């Protein structure tokens, strides 16, 4: 899933438990979050000055590769739809 997003943290500063995505395309985070919730999936908004500018995908604990692939597929579905862009 590319869709114009980038990683927020510079190489060498990235976490192994959460990925922070730079919302370069200005996607409507609230609409995406609602879309994901309808499918029992969730991501987290950036916080502080980064709210709306970044979002976070957790992949710690017992999260499987299949679950991450499902999340990314649903996010791609959202972004292909007309409600994906603000």
């Amino acid at each position: 899933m590319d869709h114009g997003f980038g990683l927020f943290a510079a190489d060498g500063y990235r976490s192994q438990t959460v990925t922070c995505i730079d919302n370069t395309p200005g996607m409507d985070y609230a609409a995406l979050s609602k879309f994901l919730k309808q499918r029992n999936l969730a991501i987290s908004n950036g916080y502080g000055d980064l709210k709306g500018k970044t979002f976070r995908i957790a992949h710690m604990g017992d999260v499987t590769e299949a679950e991450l692939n499902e999340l990314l597929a649903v996010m791609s579905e959202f972004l292909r739809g007309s409600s994906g862009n603000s």
Side-chain angles (χ1 to χ4, degrees):
M1 183 188 92
D2 181 354
H3 299 284
F5 296 102
L7 297 176
F8 180 74
D11 194 23
Y13 294 93
R14 297 178 185 151
S15 170
Q16 294 186 13
T17 59
V18 66
T19 298
C20 189
I21 307 296
D22 192 353
N23 188 7
T24 308
M27 176 242 358
D28 182 346
Y29 172 81
L32 173 60
S33 183
K34 181 178 178 181
F35 187 80
L36 292 173
K37 187 175 183 179
Q38 293 169 347
R39 289 156 177 79
N40 296 316
L41 297 166
I43 58 175
S44 297
N45 201 348
Y47 52 92
D49 292 342
L50 298 176
K51 190 171 186 177
K53 297 177 185 174
T54 64
F55 58 92
R56 296 166 287 146
I57 299 174
H59 41 80
M60 65 174 81
D62 62 352
V63 175
T64 67
E65 185 176 346
E67 291 168 328
L68 286 174
N69 286 334
E70 177 188 6
L71 172 67
L72 295 175
V74 173
M75 290 175 70
S76 287
E77 178 186 339
F78 172 82
L79 292 165
R80 283 190 304 270
S82 60
S83 62
N85 299 315
S86 56

